[in-house]
Amino acid sequence: MSADLILFVTDIHERHDENDVLEKITNTKIPVVVLINKVDNAKQEEVLEKTKYWQEKLNPMQVFAISALHGYNLAGLLPLILDVIPEHPAYYDKEDLTDRHVRFFASEIIREKIFNNYQKEIPYSTEVIITAFKEEDYITRISAEIIVERDSQKNILIGKGGASLKKVGMEARKDIEKFIDGKVFLETFVKVIPDWRSKKNYLKNFGYDG
């Protein structure tokens, strides 16, 4: 693992049984900062208990009890990050906006719409894979797979009569069209891979395991 700082994001009610992930973090010399999200949904005693747990478990530089939804207790995070990470010569020219392919941004836009349209565990249990990206003269044709862990999540994503998935697709298509400044045909499919987040091969294939 190569990094200047690890931001370990969890939430106040989340259980962590992925001991291999935690061991990987504790066995590195990289500084760790823990972010405990959704503390607005917990009592003060729960927050103190969870903070103590992560302090003992990961021995981090700092633990932030936050609410991303309400922007609570986030003010000190960016200064801490800037203080820890070293200065380095620029890797790219100032005129370069990104080194990513358009298909990466297409998947991120679809993921954004999932976060906007669903709650609870659904967004965090999904991965978006662009399976086809074909640029034609007057239109770009994109196919995307939305990966989930359970059939129940698939049913929620699709919605009654496919209405929920259609809404996500329409919103994503409009934003992708703005991004590439051209017409887009977008088709989305939902695929179940049971417990993919706990399987190293899938994490590696999806770019989460270095």
Side-chain angles (χ1 to χ4, degrees):
M1 183 183 296
S2 176
D4 297 310
L5 178 67
I6 295 173
L7 295 180
F8 184 81
V9 184
T10 182
D11 73 57
I12 192 68
H13 300 300
E14 189 171 10
R15 292 179 58 87
H16 285 274
D17 299 321
E18 307 95 332
N19 291 326
D20 57 332
V21 175
L22 298 182
E23 286 180 13
K24 194 171 185 179
I25 294 174
T26 54
N27 289 335
T28 182
K29 295 182 179 179
I30 300 171
V32 178
V33 173
V34 175
L35 306 179
I36 307 174
N37 194 23
K38 301 182 182 179
V39 298
D40 52 309
N41 293 328
K43 297 179 180 179
Q44 183 65 19
E45 294 80 7
E46 293 178 281
V47 176
L48 293 173
E49 181 181 346
K50 189 67 76 168
T51 299
K52 181 180 179 182
Y53 170 82
W54 285 117
Q55 287 173 333
E56 295 175 350
K57 190 76 174 179
L58 293 180
N59 190 29
M61 288 183 61
Q62 193 163 335
V63 177
F64 285 85
I66 69 168
S67 169
L69 179 64
H70 300 291
Y72 171 73
N73 202 28
L74 290 170
L77 180 59
L78 182 57
L80 175 62
I81 294 173
L82 294 177
D83 187 55
V84 172
I85 61 176
E87 292 189 15
H88 192 281
Y91 286 107
Y92 303 100
D93 190 274
K94 291 183 179 179
E95 300 301 318
D96 293 341
L97 295 178
T98 179
D99 64 333
R100 295 282 193 167
H101 190 275
V102 176
R103 66 168 56 210
F104 166 79
F105 291 98
S107 68
E108 288 299 291
I109 289 170
I110 297 170
R111 190 197 310 274
E112 176 192 46
K113 303 312 172 187
I114 294 172
F115 270 84
N116 289 344
N117 283 278
Y118 302 91
Q119 298 179 348
K120 297 183 179 179
E121 85 280 0
I122 294 297
Y124 302 97
S125 299
T126 60
E127 176 62 33
V128 179
I129 305 297
I130 303 300
T131 56
F133 191 99
K134 186 177 182 182
E135 297 174 289
E136 300 179 357
D137 290 338
Y138 303 103
I139 195 168
T140 299
R141 300 183 183 275
I142 303 172
S143 295
E145 278 187 353
I146 301 174
I147 311 297
V148 294
E149 294 185 299
R150 299 191 297 274
D151 287 324
S152 59
Q153 294 170 343
K154 178 179 179 179
N155 294 335
I156 293 172
L157 268 171
I158 295 174
K160 187 175 181 180
S164 299
L165 185 60
K166 183 178 180 181
K167 184 173 184 288
V168 167
M170 289 177 61
E171 293 179 359
R173 177 183 57 78
K174 290 179 181 179
D175 278 9
I176 296 172
E177 286 182 337
K178 291 179 183 178
F179 184 80
I180 69 173
D181 192 24
K183 296 293 291 182
V184 168
F185 174 79
L186 174 65
E187 56 181 356
T188 55
F189 306 91
V190 182
K191 180 179 179 179
V192 178
I193 300 179
D195 299 320
W196 68 264
R197 290 189 299 170
S198 63
K199 298 178 179 178
K200 290 184 178 181
N201 58 324
Y202 285 111
L203 290 173
K204 186 174 182 178
N205 289 340
F206 295 157
Y208 292 108
D209 185 21

